[in-house]
Amino acid sequence: MKLQQGYHTYYIYILTNKKKTVFYTGVTNNLRLRLSQHKDNITSQSKTFTSRYNVEFLLYYEKFTWIHEAIVREKEIKDWRREKKIEMIKTINPDLDFLNYLFS
């Protein structure tokens, strides 16, 4: 069996709730599907962080070709203080608008 190499797309992303009081950073290979799953989680009464805090609104994302790079970046961002995350988000989203429509 011959393995074929190809390009893949992975995303790191930052979500928030309606009042923008909490941030959630994650990684996925399908951001459209993942956003839908987060939204479904909120209505399913599950006990996850995103459901507990109604986190479903996309503020920021980055694209990667290699999963290892995406995971390293996700871990880096998760270690940051809130102020540093906001500063980074504002580089592409100065008004902290919800960007879900880009993946609907």
Side-chain angles (χ1 to χ4, degrees):
M1 180 172 134
K2 182 179 177 187
L3 295 176
Q4 292 186 0
Q5 280 201 282
Y7 290 98
H8 301 279
T9 302
Y10 300 94
Y11 298 88
I12 61 97
Y13 59 94
I14 297 177
L15 301 181
T16 191
N17 58 358
K18 195 161 200 124
K19 294 184 179 182
K20 302 175 185 167
T21 56
V22 296
F23 290 147
Y24 172 84
T25 304
V27 66
T28 184
N29 67 340
N30 186 334
L31 192 50
R32 175 180 289 160
L33 176 62
R34 194 69 185 113
L35 290 171
S36 176
Q37 290 169 338
H38 281 296
K39 188 175 180 105
D40 291 346
N41 242 351
I42 290 169
T43 59
S44 72
Q45 304 297 321
S46 66
K47 304 287 187 223
T48 65
F49 176 87
T50 56
S51 65
R52 198 173 323 132
Y53 294 99
N54 296 313
V55 174
E56 65 173 300
F57 300 103
L58 180 66
L59 289 177
Y60 181 87
Y61 67 94
E62 293 177 18
K63 289 170 69 171
F64 296 86
T65 303
W66 304 104
I67 186 62
H68 296 91
E69 291 175 350
I71 292 169
V72 167
R73 181 68 167 152
E74 177 200 25
K75 289 178 181 180
E76 176 186 19
I77 292 170
K78 281 185 174 188
D79 285 342
W80 290 357
R81 296 181 53 81
R82 179 180 176 83
E83 296 78 18
K84 188 170 181 177
K85 291 178 187 178
I86 291 173
E87 193 176 300
M88 179 191 66
I89 292 165
K90 285 185 173 185
T91 63
I92 68 157
N93 186 359
D95 298 323
L96 301 179
D97 294 326
F98 299 148
L99 304 176
N100 298 58
Y101 70 92
L102 296 172
F103 295 92
S104 53

